[in-house]
Amino acid sequence: DDAAARRLELLGVPPAEVEAVHRSGEVRRRIPLHAPISGVVTRFGAALGTYASAEEVLYEITDYDRVRVVATVLSPAELPLSAVGHAVFHPRGEEPSVPLTLEVIEPTLDSSSRGARARFVAENRDGTLRPGDIGDVSVDAPAATALFVPRDAVIDRGRIRYVFVEASAGLFEPRIVTIGAL
């Protein structure tokens, strides 16, 4: 009895239901299972009358109240995590735009596009967004003033980095610079 009750508990059967089965003293072919969350059934692995073990996935339920939006950032160095201001997802079609929160810019680049993937989170309590939706992401980043030079123009002496700037015709002088993402 205790072993059977333990197996039912491992399968997620509520203790009250296990107690009801135990009190009735009769064998039940069906026992209701209650999902721990609300959502949409996205995978169905149960079949009526089959044996289910604790390792088996009977149902997969997905909560779409918060979804992730993945975008390709073609110049990841131009979009540091700290500089992102307001981001918005614009779905294709008639749906309204959805505000986003930047979660992470992945550190690896795609070999074909040479861009990095940026993951955003969107609140989706009204169910506007669906898996597989396509659209555009716009990001407002604060403007920054910077000078871009070829990597080979920077002379790196360890603690000091500098470039040569033409002071007058044919006369160059070194200027200390700070390098890196904005």
Side-chain angles (χ1 to χ4, degrees):
D1 270 349
D2 290 340
R6 180 73 180 133
R7 282 196 298 270
L8 288 174
E9 287 175 10
L10 289 173
L11 287 172
V13 177
E17 189 69 33
V18 173
E19 182 61 33
V21 170
H22 184 66
R23 270 185 283 134
S24 72
E26 56 188 56
V27 177
R28 291 191 186 174
R29 292 184 47 86
R30 296 182 187 156
I31 295 183
L33 295 176
H34 301 280
I37 64 168
S38 64
V40 177
V41 175
T42 53
R43 190 166 64 159
F44 181 79
L48 186 61
T50 60
Y51 176 79
S53 65
E55 304 86 34
E56 207 169 334
V57 175
L58 301 178
Y59 298 94
E60 182 176 87
I61 299 173
T62 305
D63 178 12
Y64 291 126
D65 284 350
R66 289 183 59 166
V67 296
R68 285 194 169 76
V69 175
V70 179
T72 300
V73 179
L74 295 180
S75 299
E78 295 177 10
L79 189 62
L81 199 58
S82 61
V84 172
H86 184 70
V88 178
F89 177 66
H90 308 280
R92 303 237 170 106
E94 300 298 318
E95 295 87 8
S97 297
V98 179
L100 301 173
T101 303
L102 180 63
E103 189 173 54
V104 69
I105 297 176
E106 294 178 1
T108 57
L109 295 178
D110 180 88
S111 59
S112 60
S113 70
R114 301 302 301 157
R117 288 171 30 126
R119 286 194 322 250
F120 298 88
V121 176
E123 295 297 325
N124 191 40
R125 297 204 192 306
D126 60 355
T128 302
L129 300 177
R130 300 274 185 213
D133 277 352
I134 297 174
D136 297 310
V137 173
S138 63
V139 177
D140 294 332
T145 306
L147 174 66
F148 292 91
V149 297
R151 185 177 300 204
D152 296 340
V154 178
I155 299 170
D156 190 349
R157 294 289 180 205
R159 292 185 355 194
I160 298 175
R161 294 173 186 93
Y162 59 93
V163 296
F164 282 98
V165 177
E166 188 172 18
S168 60
L171 181 64
F172 293 87
E173 55 186 40
R175 299 270 171 88
I176 296 175
V177 293
T178 303
I179 63 170
L182 300 174

